[in-house]
Amino acid sequence: MRWQKGRRSDNVVFDSGGGGRRFGGGRGLGLGGIVILAILGLVFFKDPTALLSQVDDGSGTAAPASTPADPNDPQVDFVRAILGDTEDEWGQIFARQGRQYEQPQLTLFSGRVNTACGAATAAVGPFYCPGDRHVYLDLAFFQELQDRFHATGDFARAYVIAHEVGHHVQNLLGVFDMVDSARRQGTTLQGANGLSVRQELQADCLAGVWAHAAEQRNQWLDPGDLETALNAASQIGDDTLQRETRGEVMPDSFTHGTSAQRVKWFKAGFDGGDIGQCNTFAGPL
């Protein structure tokens, strides 16, 4: 992938000391924060209850603010190039719909970070916090992507970023509010047909829509690049992960969709390039 063609974003910062915003004005995590944290836990195949122990209890002083990321770091340069292109593409897509795209900030961190959704460690993986509209990424995850998930290649890493930006697009379009409203009315989040799976698969499709538009404009994919992204999507399907970690597949606990579904919806976005084809909330998956 010739990602060097991408415009560098100015919205990438580095948090070196667990910075970011503290939820609830320093009084710990309130009910609203728990709701957001539950959504956060679903963003990257993690059990939301496991994240509660990582939430700041509100004691101590606020952490220092984020600082500009080092532009000389090749990995940072890659992230800036991919994020910059998502900004350009989604800006144009929103403009065609008569809307204005609000660019998210992407915070790079090492080990631990505080967010409007609470504190989290690198174990959470890349995630999007709807509370502050930031994408969070520990660059060490790219090594885990290769070592644990056997997903290599620049386009596989770009897919990870585009998926989280897809959550930001969902937030701007009101999908997070819709899911939370349905949850409060008793609709199930988990499960093979649950809202979480549908939300995650839509983010995959939106990542594909970006990839389609980016390739049309940049022509930056080499032979085999698309397959690396599809492989990454396949490696982080619920069934594949559960088979690997538990030895059995439990559809009732699905949060992200099967490997086949993740590949299907990313490819649907990539092949069609139409956000209208990403309505995963209607019909079968």
Side-chain angles (χ1 to χ4, degrees):
M1 179 184 185
R2 288 162 283 173
W3 57 267
Q4 292 85 355
K5 291 184 176 183
R7 179 189 63 81
R8 275 50 171 178
S9 171
D10 293 325
N11 291 315
V12 177
V13 298
F14 182 69
D15 188 316
S16 59
R21 272 180 259 178
R22 182 166 295 176
F23 192 89
R27 295 188 299 274
L29 193 65
L31 179 59
I34 293 175
V35 170
I36 293 175
L37 186 62
I39 296 174
L40 168 62
L42 300 174
V43 168
F44 214 83
F45 53 81
K46 300 294 181 182
D47 178 1
T49 59
L51 299 179
L52 291 175
S53 63
Q54 300 170 6
V55 176
D56 199 319
D57 63 4
S59 61
T61 58
S66 299
T67 59
D70 180 6
N72 296 316
D73 184 327
Q75 288 203 91
V76 172
D77 193 36
F78 172 82
V79 172
R80 292 183 65 212
I82 300 303
L83 185 65
D85 198 84
T86 66
E87 293 167 351
D88 294 343
E89 301 302 346
W90 283 115
Q92 293 179 23
I93 293 171
F94 270 54
R96 288 196 293 269
Q97 298 179 350
R99 302 170 62 100
Q100 183 173 357
Y101 179 65
E102 177 189 330
Q103 299 176 356
Q105 184 176 89
L106 191 153
T107 298
L108 300 173
F109 69 97
S110 179
R112 183 180 184 277
V113 67
N114 288 335
T115 79
C117 298
T121 70
V124 178
F127 64 93
Y128 172 72
C129 174
D132 56 24
R133 299 189 173 187
H134 286 201
V135 173
Y136 292 90
L137 170 66
D138 187 326
L139 288 173
F141 177 77
F142 287 152
Q143 190 64 44
E144 183 180 8
L145 189 67
Q146 175 178 314
D147 296 343
R148 177 185 174 190
F149 301 113
H150 315 294
T152 60
D154 293 331
F155 199 40
R157 296 188 296 158
Y159 156 71
V160 170
I161 296 171
H163 174 90
E164 301 308 334
V165 172
H167 282 305
H168 177 65
V169 172
Q170 289 177 315
N171 199 17
L172 297 180
L173 296 178
V175 174
F176 274 82
D177 290 338
M178 179 198 73
V179 169
D180 186 45
S181 176
R183 178 201 60 78
R184 285 187 277 106
Q185 294 174 22
T187 304
T188 302
L189 286 178
Q190 289 186 314
N193 290 303
L195 288 177
S196 172
V197 167
R198 294 180 181 274
Q199 185 174 11
E200 292 299 326
L201 293 177
Q202 185 179 63
D204 281 334
C205 185
L206 294 174
V209 169
W210 160 75
H212 172 95
E215 171 60 8
Q216 291 228 322
R217 186 164 61 86
N218 297 322
Q219 296 182 338
W220 57 3
L221 295 184
D222 293 317
D225 281 342
L226 176 59
E227 286 70 23
T228 66
L230 295 177
N231 177 57
S234 175
Q235 292 297 327
I236 55 178
D238 282 322
D239 54 340
T240 299
L241 289 171
Q242 289 185 356
R243 194 176 293 111
E244 174 188 313
T245 59
R246 302 178 182 178
E248 61 178 328
V249 176
M250 304 174 64
D252 288 346
S253 65
F254 281 2
T255 58
H256 280 63
T258 66
S259 293
Q261 288 172 331
R262 302 203 70 170
V263 168
K264 169 189 172 180
W265 284 101
F266 177 80
K267 201 166 184 300
F270 184 84
D271 289 344
D274 180 8
I275 192 174
Q277 297 180 2
C278 294
N279 185 6
T280 56
F281 292 92
L285 295 172

